[in-house]
Amino acid sequence: MIIISACLLGRNVKYSGGNNLTPWLAAYYDPALFLPLCPECIARLPIPRPPVEIRNGTGTNVLAGSARVYNKDQEDVTRHFLYGAATTLHLARNHQVSAAILKEGSPSCGVTRIYDGTFSGRRIPGQGVTAALFQQYGIPLYSEQTLTKSILRELIRREKELQNPKI
Ligand code: SF4
């Protein structure tokens, strides 16, 4: 399966209660090939919920214990993000995931960039907590911004081959 951030398919799971529908990506959605997941929902965070950023680091630092995750109300939600990441990884491994397409910029799903922890709209290079854990376990990562149609078609071709190997 190919994991995809559920909000990219139009599921209303983001902190605001809205979604990040990316129509060209959603056009390729096939339930036999894609597994839509939201690590923050898996962590049972409510919808809507206060926005969250990683303070003093990236998802990699959160996994290492040297940075923490706070919401805009200054509540430490690190344990929820770690639980969401670990459970999403568990599901990914159970479904023999071949790749993950995640929402850029998110403190869970960001693949190349996240917000800097000051809630000022500034971005820094780095990954969200789930994306960083996926990377540590060797799952190929793409975002809606790093992916192209030709790469996606190749991911789909490989996934079909994995599901129906030629004898
Ligand atoms: Fe989308 Fe990921 Fe945020 Fe869930 S955690 S709303 S899937 S970006």
Side-chain angles (χ1 to χ4, degrees):
M1 299 294 273
I2 299 168
I3 279 197
I4 185 163
S5 291
C7 58
L8 291 172
L9 295 178
R11 313 271 170 95
N12 291 329
V13 292
K14 65 182 281 194
Y15 73 90
S16 62
N19 62 69
N20 296 305
L21 176 64
T22 305
W24 74 266
L25 204 45
Y28 287 88
Y29 176 63
D30 175 345
L33 301 173
F34 290 88
L35 182 63
L37 291 176
C38 171
E40 294 175 24
C41 300
I42 287 170
R44 297 192 184 157
L45 289 164
I47 304 168
R49 53 190 176 275
V52 164
E53 296 191 4
I54 297 170
R55 194 180 287 175
N56 298 323
T58 66
T60 306
N61 301 123
V62 174
L63 295 173
S66 58
R68 299 194 70 81
V69 190
Y70 286 86
N71 68 22
K72 211 173 178 180
D73 297 335
Q74 304 305 320
E75 290 166 337
D76 186 329
V77 291
T78 307
R79 70 190 167 91
H80 298 286
F81 275 64
L82 290 172
Y83 176 81
T87 309
T88 307
L89 175 69
H90 182 69
L91 291 167
R93 286 159 70 88
N94 277 353
H95 285 86
Q96 298 175 315
V97 156
S98 59
I101 302 166
L102 302 177
K103 174 72 185 82
E104 197 60 270
S106 153
S108 291
C109 295
V111 172
T112 66
R113 291 192 313 279
I114 55 169
Y115 290 94
D116 73 352
T118 63
F119 294 96
S120 59
R122 275 196 301 270
R123 292 185 183 213
I124 56 170
Q127 297 176 324
V129 181
T130 296
L133 190 60
F134 277 17
Q135 173 127 318
Q136 289 183 3
Y137 279 81
I139 296 172
L141 291 179
Y142 303 87
S143 79
E144 81 286 5
Q145 293 178 13
T146 64
L147 197 63
T148 62
K149 285 183 185 175
S150 61
I151 296 172
L152 179 57
R153 282 195 286 264
E154 177 61 15
L155 294 179
I156 289 170
R157 188 195 63 75
R158 278 193 229 156
E159 178 60 29
K160 283 181 176 167
E161 210 169 82
L162 285 170
Q163 291 189 16
N164 300 290
K166 292 186 188 106
I167 300 168

